[in-house]
Amino acid sequence: MKTSSEPNRGQPVKLQGKRVVTNPIRNPRTIDSKPIQNSRQQNNTFSHPSLSTKPTEDSDLIYGRHPVLSALQNQRGLNRIWITTRLRYDPNFHHLLLQAKENGTVIDEVEPKRLDQITNNSNHQGVAAQIAPYTYIELPDLIEQAKSVTDPVIVVADGITDPHNLGAIIRTAEAIGAQGLVIPQRRASGITSTVVKVAAGALENFSVARVVNLSRALEELKTAGFWIYGTAATGSEPLHTVNFSGPIALVIGSEGEGLSMLTQRSCDVLVSIPLQGKTPSLNASVAAGMALYEIYRQRALNTLHLDKLQKTSLKK
């Protein structure tokens, strides 16, 4: 199989004698975009802190200056904020807290010991917030949103159960420029407070779609014009030899088992990260970061090459 140019969509890709993909040429379809509305609990009353105040089951807790500040800056639905007196009047927080209070968020000034109780002695940095449950985006809306940019990249997590890994993948993907994430509903971590904390504010600018059937979601991405690249320890192509171009869906396998066979069969190309040491595999979030970097490294080089060609032609 040639990797110096885009694979021929009319030909199946084979891996170790087994057919991986048999899809014919795909034509992007038109997807109706529907507005996504974030629910916000309205509460215009101010209540004083109470030791009985705890996050409810239908809410989630985030803590730390950066996650809470990002939620405030992006007007995330916040039910309640616990904050120390010193931090409340910090210039970075003060006007955002006033705005949040106008939108119905209850602001509680508390002692650090109270925050220790709320966060189970975690590193809260003087602030914690009770957020409304995360609102997932529908897959068609994510696709439509992603295709508003040239050559979008969507990350697909196949059964990532560790919230720390999922949060790290989200943080890396958003930072490097990917447009969104797809996760399955079953046997995988959802967007929990741990994920929000590890993502360090990335979720305020990064959409996540949660789907019932991951294989069907991959087919939907194919129909929309995305090429599906799966990372596997025994991938058919070393990562650095693959020419990544056009809209891309990068599939990352679970921590222990990697990509399921059903997911592998849904991929256009399987890629591997060559390892020289004795460690047989990489952490899922590390593998995601390396693969994403290679995709955007190639695109940066192509952009520089085109710029040089344009400058050369202008001189002539």
Side-chain angles (χ1 to χ4, degrees), residues 101-124:
K101 185 178 178 180
E102 290 179 359
N103 292 332
T105 302
V106 178
I107 312 296
D108 285 347
E109 287 187 28
V110 296
E111 295 295 325
K113 289 184 178 180
R114 174 62 181 135
L115 281 167
D116 291 340
Q117 293 175 343
I118 294 172
T119 63
N120 292 321
N121 294 312
S122 299
N123 183 23
H124 51 72

PDB file of all heavy atoms in Angstrom, residues 101-124:
ATOM      1  N   LYS A 101     -23.044  35.381  39.433  1.00  0.00           N
ATOM      2  CA  LYS A 101     -24.110  35.599  40.419  1.00  0.00           C
ATOM      3  C   LYS A 101     -25.355  36.173  39.752  1.00  0.00           C
ATOM      4  O   LYS A 101     -26.485  35.791  40.069  1.00  0.00           O
ATOM      5  CB  LYS A 101     -23.606  36.539  41.517  1.00  0.00           C
ATOM      6  CG  LYS A 101     -24.605  36.735  42.656  1.00  0.00           C
ATOM      7  CD  LYS A 101     -24.021  37.630  43.731  1.00  0.00           C
ATOM      8  CE  LYS A 101     -25.040  37.863  44.846  1.00  0.00           C
ATOM      9  NZ  LYS A 101     -24.513  38.745  45.915  1.00  0.00           N
ATOM     10  N   GLU A 102     -25.161  37.094  38.797  1.00  0.00           N
ATOM     11  CA  GLU A 102     -26.299  37.648  38.062  1.00  0.00           C
ATOM     12  C   GLU A 102     -27.032  36.569  37.266  1.00  0.00           C
ATOM     13  O   GLU A 102     -28.236  36.657  37.047  1.00  0.00           O
ATOM     14  CB  GLU A 102     -25.812  38.742  37.119  1.00  0.00           C
ATOM     15  CG  GLU A 102     -25.345  40.013  37.828  1.00  0.00           C
ATOM     16  CD  GLU A 102     -24.848  41.062  36.854  1.00  0.00           C
ATOM     17  OE1 GLU A 102     -24.856  40.773  35.628  1.00  0.00           O
ATOM     18  OE2 GLU A 102     -24.461  42.162  37.291  1.00  0.00           O
ATOM     19  N   ASN A 103     -26.289  35.543  36.846  1.00  0.00           N
ATOM     20  CA  ASN A 103     -26.885  34.452  36.067  1.00  0.00           C
ATOM     21  C   ASN A 103     -27.493  33.369  36.955  1.00  0.00           C
ATOM     22  O   ASN A 103     -27.965  32.348  36.448  1.00  0.00           O
ATOM     23  CB  ASN A 103     -25.843  33.831  35.144  1.00  0.00           C
ATOM     24  CG  ASN A 103     -25.424  34.781  34.038  1.00  0.00           C
ATOM     25  OD1 ASN A 103     -26.194  35.647  33.628  1.00  0.00           O
ATOM     26  ND2 ASN A 103     -24.200  34.623  33.547  1.00  0.00           N
ATOM     27  N   GLY A 104     -27.441  33.564  38.269  1.00  0.00           N
ATOM     28  CA  GLY A 104     -28.110  32.623  39.162  1.00  0.00           C
ATOM     29  C   GLY A 104     -27.208  31.710  39.956  1.00  0.00           C
ATOM     30  O   GLY A 104     -27.703  30.868  40.717  1.00  0.00           O
ATOM     31  N   THR A 105     -25.906  31.837  39.810  1.00  0.00           N
ATOM     32  CA  THR A 105     -24.983  30.994  40.565  1.00  0.00           C
ATOM     33  C   THR A 105     -24.881  31.486  42.003  1.00  0.00           C
ATOM     34  O   THR A 105     -24.750  32.681  42.257  1.00  0.00           O
ATOM     35  CB  THR A 105     -23.577  31.014  39.926  1.00  0.00           C
ATOM     36  OG1 THR A 105     -23.684  30.576  38.576  1.00  0.00           O
ATOM     37  CG2 THR A 105     -22.616  30.105  40.686  1.00  0.00           C
ATOM     38  N   VAL A 106     -24.931  30.565  42.951  1.00  0.00           N
ATOM     39  CA  VAL A 106     -24.777  30.912  44.360  1.00  0.00           C
ATOM     40  C   VAL A 106     -23.295  30.964  44.691  1.00  0.00           C
ATOM     41  O   VAL A 106     -22.553  30.009  44.425  1.00  0.00           O
ATOM     42  CB  VAL A 106     -25.480  29.879  45.266  1.00  0.00           C
ATOM     43  CG1 VAL A 106     -25.267  30.217  46.739  1.00  0.00           C
ATOM     44  CG2 VAL A 106     -26.971  29.833  44.941  1.00  0.00           C
ATOM     45  N   ILE A 107     -22.843  32.079  45.274  1.00  0.00           N
ATOM     46  CA  ILE A 107     -21.432  32.256  45.624  1.00  0.00           C
ATOM     47  C   ILE A 107     -21.288  32.149  47.137  1.00  0.00           C
ATOM     48  O   ILE A 107     -21.893  32.936  47.877  1.00  0.00           O
ATOM     49  CB  ILE A 107     -20.891  33.620  45.150  1.00  0.00           C
ATOM     50  CG1 ILE A 107     -21.274  33.887  43.689  1.00  0.00           C
ATOM     51  CG2 ILE A 107     -19.381  33.689  45.355  1.00  0.00           C
ATOM     52  CD1 ILE A 107     -20.674  32.915  42.713  1.00  0.00           C
ATOM     53  N   ASP A 108     -20.496  31.195  47.595  1.00  0.00           N
ATOM     54  CA  ASP A 108     -20.259  31.006  49.019  1.00  0.00           C
ATOM     55  C   ASP A 108     -18.807  31.320  49.359  1.00  0.00           C
ATOM     56  O   ASP A 108     -17.897  30.712  48.790  1.00  0.00           O
ATOM     57  CB  ASP A 108     -20.557  29.561  49.435  1.00  0.00           C
ATOM     58  CG  ASP A 108     -22.047  29.272  49.513  1.00  0.00           C
ATOM     59  OD1 ASP A 108     -22.833  30.235  49.498  1.00  0.00           O
ATOM     60  OD2 ASP A 108     -22.404  28.081  49.588  1.00  0.00           O
ATOM     61  N   GLU A 109     -18.606  32.264  50.281  1.00  0.00           N
ATOM     62  CA  GLU A 109     -17.263  32.516  50.803  1.00  0.00           C
ATOM     63  C   GLU A 109     -17.022  31.559  51.967  1.00  0.00           C
ATOM     64  O   GLU A 109     -17.798  31.543  52.931  1.00  0.00           O
ATOM     65  CB  GLU A 109     -17.128  33.964  51.270  1.00  0.00           C
ATOM     66  CG  GLU A 109     -17.061  34.967  50.144  1.00  0.00           C
ATOM     67  CD  GLU A 109     -16.764  36.378  50.656  1.00  0.00           C
ATOM     68  OE1 GLU A 109     -16.121  36.494  51.713  1.00  0.00           O
ATOM     69  OE2 GLU A 109     -17.179  37.339  49.986  1.00  0.00           O
ATOM     70  N   VAL A 110     -15.969  30.774  51.873  1.00  0.00           N
ATOM     71  CA  VAL A 110     -15.722  29.738  52.869  1.00  0.00           C
ATOM     72  C   VAL A 110     -14.262  29.746  53.291  1.00  0.00           C
ATOM     73  O   VAL A 110     -13.400  30.324  52.629  1.00  0.00           O
ATOM     74  CB  VAL A 110     -16.094  28.342  52.324  1.00  0.00           C
ATOM     75  CG1 VAL A 110     -17.582  28.254  52.028  1.00  0.00           C
ATOM     76  CG2 VAL A 110     -15.283  28.021  51.072  1.00  0.00           C
ATOM     77  N   GLU A 111     -14.001  29.063  54.381  1.00  0.00           N
ATOM     78  CA  GLU A 111     -12.638  28.873  54.847  1.00  0.00           C
ATOM     79  C   GLU A 111     -11.998  27.711  54.081  1.00  0.00           C
ATOM     80  O   GLU A 111     -12.703  26.829  53.581  1.00  0.00           O
ATOM     81  CB  GLU A 111     -12.630  28.574  56.351  1.00  0.00           C
ATOM     82  CG  GLU A 111     -13.123  29.713  57.219  1.00  0.00           C
ATOM     83  CD  GLU A 111     -12.205  30.922  57.137  1.00  0.00           C
ATOM     84  OE1 GLU A 111     -10.979  30.711  57.021  1.00  0.00           O
ATOM     85  OE2 GLU A 111     -12.718  32.059  57.173  1.00  0.00           O
ATOM     86  N   PRO A 112     -10.676  27.684  53.998  1.00  0.00           N
ATOM     87  CA  PRO A 112      -9.996  26.579  53.303  1.00  0.00           C
ATOM     88  C   PRO A 112     -10.380  25.201  53.857  1.00  0.00           C
ATOM     89  O   PRO A 112     -10.456  24.226  53.095  1.00  0.00           O
ATOM     90  CB  PRO A 112      -8.513  26.872  53.532  1.00  0.00           C
ATOM     91  CG  PRO A 112      -8.455  28.366  53.682  1.00  0.00           C
ATOM     92  CD  PRO A 112      -9.717  28.737  54.404  1.00  0.00           C
ATOM     93  N   LYS A 113     -10.659  25.115  55.171  1.00  0.00           N
ATOM     94  CA  LYS A 113     -11.032  23.817  55.744  1.00  0.00           C
ATOM     95  C   LYS A 113     -12.345  23.309  55.156  1.00  0.00           C
ATOM     96  O   LYS A 113     -12.533  22.105  54.993  1.00  0.00           O
ATOM     97  CB  LYS A 113     -11.146  23.938  57.268  1.00  0.00           C
ATOM     98  CG  LYS A 113      -9.804  24.113  57.978  1.00  0.00           C
ATOM     99  CD  LYS A 113      -9.996  24.137  59.489  1.00  0.00           C
ATOM    100  CE  LYS A 113      -8.651  24.272  60.198  1.00  0.00           C
ATOM    101  NZ  LYS A 113      -8.805  24.300  61.681  1.00  0.00           N
ATOM    102  N   ARG A 114     -13.257  24.237  54.878  1.00  0.00           N
ATOM    103  CA  ARG A 114     -14.544  23.828  54.271  1.00  0.00           C
ATOM    104  C   ARG A 114     -14.305  23.271  52.863  1.00  0.00           C
ATOM    105  O   ARG A 114     -14.911  22.275  52.473  1.00  0.00           O
ATOM    106  CB  ARG A 114     -15.484  25.037  54.230  1.00  0.00           C
ATOM    107  CG  ARG A 114     -16.795  24.789  53.493  1.00  0.00           C
ATOM    108  CD  ARG A 114     -17.608  23.704  54.170  1.00  0.00           C
ATOM    109  NE  ARG A 114     -18.844  23.442  53.447  1.00  0.00           N
ATOM    110  CZ  ARG A 114     -19.297  22.234  53.174  1.00  0.00           C
ATOM    111  NH1 ARG A 114     -18.629  21.165  53.555  1.00  0.00           N
ATOM    112  NH2 ARG A 114     -20.439  22.084  52.529  1.00  0.00           N
ATOM    113  N   LEU A 115     -13.415  23.889  52.118  1.00  0.00           N
ATOM    114  CA  LEU A 115     -13.086  23.378  50.790  1.00  0.00           C
ATOM    115  C   LEU A 115     -12.403  22.017  50.882  1.00  0.00           C
ATOM    116  O   LEU A 115     -12.597  21.154  50.015  1.00  0.00           O
ATOM    117  CB  LEU A 115     -12.187  24.379  50.051  1.00  0.00           C
ATOM    118  CG  LEU A 115     -12.919  25.575  49.441  1.00  0.00           C
ATOM    119  CD1 LEU A 115     -11.925  26.651  49.019  1.00  0.00           C
ATOM    120  CD2 LEU A 115     -13.763  25.146  48.247  1.00  0.00           C
ATOM    121  N   ASP A 116     -11.608  21.824  51.931  1.00  0.00           N
ATOM    122  CA  ASP A 116     -11.002  20.503  52.142  1.00  0.00           C
ATOM    123  C   ASP A 116     -12.086  19.443  52.305  1.00  0.00           C
ATOM    124  O   ASP A 116     -11.978  18.330  51.763  1.00  0.00           O
ATOM    125  CB  ASP A 116     -10.107  20.514  53.390  1.00  0.00           C
ATOM    126  CG  ASP A 116      -8.854  21.366  53.199  1.00  0.00           C
ATOM    127  OD1 ASP A 116      -8.487  21.620  52.036  1.00  0.00           O
ATOM    128  OD2 ASP A 116      -8.259  21.769  54.219  1.00  0.00           O
ATOM    129  N   GLN A 117     -13.144  19.783  53.044  1.00  0.00           N
ATOM    130  CA  GLN A 117     -14.242  18.841  53.251  1.00  0.00           C
ATOM    131  C   GLN A 117     -14.977  18.552  51.942  1.00  0.00           C
ATOM    132  O   GLN A 117     -15.303  17.411  51.628  1.00  0.00           O
ATOM    133  CB  GLN A 117     -15.223  19.399  54.282  1.00  0.00           C
ATOM    134  CG  GLN A 117     -14.654  19.517  55.689  1.00  0.00           C
ATOM    135  CD  GLN A 117     -15.642  20.185  56.645  1.00  0.00           C
ATOM    136  OE1 GLN A 117     -16.609  20.831  56.204  1.00  0.00           O
ATOM    137  NE2 GLN A 117     -15.401  20.040  57.943  1.00  0.00           N
ATOM    138  N   ILE A 118     -15.252  19.618  51.194  1.00  0.00           N
ATOM    139  CA  ILE A 118     -16.020  19.464  49.954  1.00  0.00           C
ATOM    140  C   ILE A 118     -15.268  18.626  48.929  1.00  0.00           C
ATOM    141  O   ILE A 118     -15.859  17.801  48.220  1.00  0.00           O
ATOM    142  CB  ILE A 118     -16.356  20.851  49.367  1.00  0.00           C
ATOM    143  CG1 ILE A 118     -17.306  21.607  50.299  1.00  0.00           C
ATOM    144  CG2 ILE A 118     -16.964  20.733  47.972  1.00  0.00           C
ATOM    145  CD1 ILE A 118     -17.532  23.047  49.904  1.00  0.00           C
ATOM    146  N   THR A 119     -13.952  18.839  48.835  1.00  0.00           N
ATOM    147  CA  THR A 119     -13.152  18.172  47.799  1.00  0.00           C
ATOM    148  C   THR A 119     -12.408  16.941  48.310  1.00  0.00           C
ATOM    149  O   THR A 119     -11.555  16.403  47.604  1.00  0.00           O
ATOM    150  CB  THR A 119     -12.126  19.156  47.208  1.00  0.00           C
ATOM    151  OG1 THR A 119     -11.213  19.561  48.245  1.00  0.00           O
ATOM    152  CG2 THR A 119     -12.814  20.375  46.630  1.00  0.00           C
ATOM    153  N   ASN A 120     -12.749  16.508  49.518  1.00  0.00           N
ATOM    154  CA  ASN A 120     -12.062  15.345  50.108  1.00  0.00           C
ATOM    155  C   ASN A 120     -10.547  15.542  50.152  1.00  0.00           C
ATOM    156  O   ASN A 120      -9.772  14.667  49.758  1.00  0.00           O
ATOM    157  CB  ASN A 120     -12.405  14.070  49.333  1.00  0.00           C
ATOM    158  CG  ASN A 120     -13.860  13.672  49.498  1.00  0.00           C
ATOM    159  OD1 ASN A 120     -14.418  13.802  50.584  1.00  0.00           O
ATOM    160  ND2 ASN A 120     -14.475  13.214  48.420  1.00  0.00           N
ATOM    161  N   ASN A 121     -10.160  16.742  50.637  1.00  0.00           N
ATOM    162  CA  ASN A 121      -8.742  17.075  50.829  1.00  0.00           C
ATOM    163  C   ASN A 121      -7.938  17.069  49.529  1.00  0.00           C
ATOM    164  O   ASN A 121      -6.729  16.792  49.540  1.00  0.00           O
ATOM    165  CB  ASN A 121      -8.099  16.131  51.844  1.00  0.00           C
ATOM    166  CG  ASN A 121      -8.683  16.304  53.237  1.00  0.00           C
ATOM    167  OD1 ASN A 121      -8.809  17.425  53.729  1.00  0.00           O
ATOM    168  ND2 ASN A 121      -9.061  15.192  53.858  1.00  0.00           N
ATOM    169  N   SER A 122      -8.581  17.386  48.430  1.00  0.00           N
ATOM    170  CA  SER A 122      -7.874  17.494  47.152  1.00  0.00           C
ATOM    171  C   SER A 122      -7.204  18.865  47.041  1.00  0.00           C
ATOM    172  O   SER A 122      -7.451  19.755  47.862  1.00  0.00           O
ATOM    173  CB  SER A 122      -8.841  17.294  45.986  1.00  0.00           C
ATOM    174  OG  SER A 122      -9.425  16.011  46.029  1.00  0.00           O
ATOM    175  N   ASN A 123      -6.398  19.054  46.028  1.00  0.00           N
ATOM    176  CA  ASN A 123      -5.698  20.328  45.819  1.00  0.00           C
ATOM    177  C   ASN A 123      -6.648  21.324  45.159  1.00  0.00           C
ATOM    178  O   ASN A 123      -6.604  21.551  43.951  1.00  0.00           O
ATOM    179  CB  ASN A 123      -4.450  20.091  44.959  1.00  0.00           C
ATOM    180  CG  ASN A 123      -3.639  21.356  44.777  1.00  0.00           C
ATOM    181  OD1 ASN A 123      -3.729  22.288  45.573  1.00  0.00           O
ATOM    182  ND2 ASN A 123      -2.846  21.391  43.717  1.00  0.00           N
ATOM    183  N   HIS A 124      -7.508  21.932  45.943  1.00  0.00           N
ATOM    184  CA  HIS A 124      -8.566  22.798  45.405  1.00  0.00           C
ATOM    185  C   HIS A 124      -8.084  24.208  45.074  1.00  0.00           C
ATOM    186  O   HIS A 124      -8.762  24.933  44.353  1.00  0.00           O
ATOM    187  CB  HIS A 124      -9.727  22.887  46.399  1.00  0.00           C
ATOM    188  CG  HIS A 124      -9.307  23.247  47.794  1.00  0.00           C
ATOM    189  ND1 HIS A 124      -8.883  24.499  48.152  1.00  0.00           N
ATOM    190  CD2 HIS A 124      -9.245  22.492  48.919  1.00  0.00           C
ATOM    191  CE1 HIS A 124      -8.597  24.529  49.437  1.00  0.00           C
ATOM    192  NE2 HIS A 124      -8.792  23.307  49.942  1.00  0.00           N
TER     193      HIS A 124
END
